[in-house]
Amino acid sequence: MRTTQETVDVVVVGGGTAGHVAAIQAARAGVTTSVIEAGSMLGGTMTAGGVWMPNHFFTKTGPVVQGIPWELYTRSKEIEGLPVPDYRRRRPVETPGYYSYINVPVYAALAEAEAVKAGVVLHYHEFVQDVSAVGDLWEVASVGRGVRRVTHAKEIVDCSGDSDVVRILGMRVLKSKVSQPGTLQYKIGGIETEQLWKEEVQALYEEAMRDGVLRKGDWAYANMEPFLYYLQHGGHNATHIYDADTSDADGQTRADIEGRERMLRIFRFVRESIPGAERARIDFMAPHALARETFHTVGEYTVVKDDFVKATDFPDKVCNAFNYIDLHSQAIGCEVSFIDDPEAIPTVPFRALIPKGSRRITVAGRNVSANRIAFAGIRAQCTCMAMGQAMGAAAALAVQRGVASRDVDSRDIVALTVEHGAVPV
Ligand SMILES: Cc1cc2nc3c(=O)[nH]c(=O)nc-3n(C[C@H](O)[C@H](O)[C@H](O)COP(=O)(O)OP(=O)(O)OC[C@H]3O[C@@H](n4cnc5c(N)ncnc54)[C@H](O)[C@@H]3O)c2cc1C
């Protein structure tokens, strides 16, 4: 195995939803930046995971997340030859804001090209295994096939989704006793939706559940929507994997196997039993199952439900967190609750992105310090990307000023992101 060394100002661990934006922001701000990513592309859950629906860039009345995420989104639409829809005319009833869709190959390739153009050094297929402090530098050990890398960096942004670096360093993390179920993304095509009769497919679904042909969780939204909805959406984003914990390889393997079992069971049922679905086929399956939540970092502040629903005006806010509370559970299925005041825009405080008692390391994305209910609102992709942009800026400013990221004023972080197109908060 080849052993190699690298020295950068900022290392971003995990090039997913938050991480790709963090890296582009840090590099565009002028510091040397690398990404260590276990997968084969940027974007994580929003690309490789098959959750291609980032929300929310806009409320009904104005922008909440812009900057690098919006730039990549709009440029990907240009490449696809599609207009960027006017947010004021999009789905005003179903969701509280602008719901958008990316084309995964286009978005992932564009994000990668922009990262490379900004000077980000990308290392795909590598897992971070060990992290230690050596004087004023971090030593980050990662392993990929045939390569063992030691990266020295002044700042780390942990965007692993499962607080990997924070856990390796033995810092505090939080895991809910009842975590939200996970999902394996897949999509069934070839269903002739015009042949579906709502009452008939509902009766067939209920009979299959009674007879044990289908199991609870195969159709996750049964408490909210009729089975017709599953068929109309080809089963995308529609299955629950209970207790999915993808924070290590054993848990990931179990979730992958259960996700595929569920996919195959319901696909057989649909194709064999639903009139109009005889020619159904599975068009897409993500390479791995996803968890909605595993280990949150315990930060200098933990965002709680009231902060989210009442939109606490944090003195150290770094980005917006506009979304509904999207809580999935084994007991109920899915509960969605909207914030009463449409003008209330929750935000993320810098302290929720600083691991408690740490220096020179921040987190972004799913790692954010938040309790169960607040987390069900904050974890949306646009917020994760905005957190990434803010922490990329914090790391860059820290390096340029010769201080630790935690000592950078949150107003300076926001100012730098605004220079790069973000919405002022
Ligand atoms: C089933 C499901 C449906 C969802 N639906 C929506 C939706 O419709 N709209 C929406 O806005 N949000 C949705 N969300 C929420 C949102 O997608 C996630 O919260 C968000 O994408 C998480 O971003 P992240 O950057 O924290 O993690 P990820 O995007 O998962 O990125 C983490 C990255 O880190 C890498 N990594 C992990 N550990 C290591 C390591 N040790 N070394 C190197 N790399 C590592 C991973 O490979 C991955 O690429 C959904 C989530 C799920 C699971």
Side-chain angles (χ1 to χ4, degrees):
M1 185 179 275
R2 184 166 52 92
T3 300
T4 181
Q5 303 237 352
E6 191 164 89
T7 301
V8 286
D9 293 321
V10 177
V11 60
V12 177
V13 176
T17 312
H20 75 288
V21 181
I24 293 172
Q25 172 64 88
R28 283 186 184 174
V31 297
T32 56
T33 306
S34 72
V35 170
I36 299 173
E37 165 54 49
S40 62
M41 66 178 86
L42 295 177
T45 295
M46 66 188 286
T47 56
V51 183
W52 46 64
M53 310 86 78
N55 53 322
H56 291 285
F57 288 114
F58 291 91
T59 68
K60 281 180 208 163
T61 55
V64 269
V65 172
Q66 298 282 280
I68 294 167
W70 181 245
E71 173 201 320
L72 294 176
Y73 171 75
T74 50
R75 288 188 53 203
S76 73
K77 291 295 143 200
E78 265 171 43
I79 295 171
E80 287 177 73
L82 293 174
V84 175
D86 181 341
Y87 68 90
R88 287 160 301 194
R89 302 176 67 176
R90 290 293 302 276
R91 305 174 67 173
V93 180
E94 268 183 69
T95 77
Y98 187 119
Y99 221 92
S100 44
Y101 296 84
I102 55 163
N103 176 280
V104 167
V106 170
Y107 186 92
L110 175 67
E112 181 177 275
E114 281 307 310
V116 170
K117 191 169 138 200
V120 176
V121 181
L122 295 173
H123 298 296
Y124 292 140
H125 309 291
E126 271 182 42
F127 279 96
V128 167
Q129 283 208 316
D130 200 16
V131 184
S132 53
V134 180
D136 279 347
L137 290 180
W138 292 111
E139 195 168 272
V140 179
S142 53
V143 179
R145 190 174 179 196
V147 59
R148 198 193 310 269
R149 188 179 317 279
V150 176
T151 303
H152 291 104
K154 293 178 183 141
E155 286 281 336
I156 299 178
V157 190
D158 181 351
C159 297
S160 61
D162 305 309
S163 301
D164 281 28
V165 178
V166 172
R167 284 189 292 142
I168 290 169
L169 287 169
M171 293 172 180
R172 282 179 59 199
V173 288
L174 188 80
K175 193 163 186 275
S176 306
K177 280 203 189 85
V178 189
S179 65
Q180 300 192 51
T183 294
L184 174 77
Q185 300 293 0
Y186 62 86
K187 188 141 186 167
I188 301 175
I191 300 175
E192 291 169 55
T193 45
E194 65 280 6
Q195 287 199 40
L196 303 175
W197 183 41
K198 184 177 169 190
E199 283 73 18
E200 182 187 26
V201 297
Q202 188 62 25
L204 288 166
Y205 166 73
E206 285 170 13
E207 187 184 296
M209 285 296 289
R210 264 196 316 274
D211 295 349
V213 172
L214 292 180
R215 300 205 188 138
K216 187 176 174 203
D218 289 347
W219 164 226
Y221 294 84
N223 68 310
M224 281 177 77
E225 301 284 354
F227 192 62
L228 181 70
Y229 186 96
Y230 174 96
L231 297 167
Q232 286 170 334
H233 291 79
H236 184 241
N237 202 26
T239 295
H240 274 166
I241 305 168
Y242 301 129
D243 301 319
D245 180 350
T246 58
S247 63
D248 66 28
D250 288 340
Q252 180 71 63
T253 303
R254 275 195 298 277
D256 292 343
I257 292 171
E258 183 179 328
R260 289 181 200 128
E261 264 173 23
R262 287 183 180 278
M263 176 187 75
L264 216 49
R265 184 163 54 234
I266 200 161
F267 171 65
R268 279 202 178 113
F269 161 73
V270 164
R271 207 183 55 72
E272 289 166 13
S273 309
I274 302 289
E278 295 81 0
R279 281 191 286 271
R281 54 176 192 271
I282 301 174
D283 282 340
F284 163 79
M285 179 187 78
H288 56 84
L290 303 164
R292 282 184 172 77
E293 63 175 324
T294 58
F295 292 97
H296 307 282
T297 297
V298 173
E300 294 292 358
Y301 183 83
T302 297
V303 182
V304 296
K305 181 184 173 191
D306 266 7
D307 291 326
F308 191 78
V309 294
K310 295 188 179 149
T312 299
D313 187 20
F314 293 113
D316 60 338
K317 57 196 170 198
V318 286
C319 65
N320 288 321
F322 178 75
N323 193 29
Y324 49 93
I325 293 181
D326 182 13
L327 191 62
H328 295 242
S329 69
Q330 180 164 358
I332 292 176
C334 186
E335 296 165 84
V336 170
S337 46
F338 299 103
I339 299 174
D340 291 340
D341 176 2
E343 300 301 316
I345 298 175
T347 55
V348 181
F350 187 23
R351 285 163 296 155
L353 303 173
I354 303 172
K356 204 171 183 59
S358 72
R359 290 178 67 72
R360 299 187 292 108
I361 174 170
T362 59
V363 302
R366 226 154 34 86
N367 299 346
V368 61
S369 185
N371 77 359
R372 184 165 186 259
I373 305 289
F375 178 74
I378 288 187
R379 67 187 175 87
Q381 288 174 14
C382 289
T383 309
C384 288
M385 289 191 276
M387 287 186 239
Q389 180 160 2
M391 290 309 96
L397 288 170
V399 169
Q400 284 160 344
R401 292 174 182 182
V403 298
S405 46
R406 68 174 297 132
D407 296 328
V408 177
D409 191 314
S410 60
R411 286 166 300 191
D412 295 347
I413 296 171
V414 174
L416 181 56
T417 63
V418 170
E419 266 179 47
H420 291 261
V423 176
V425 288

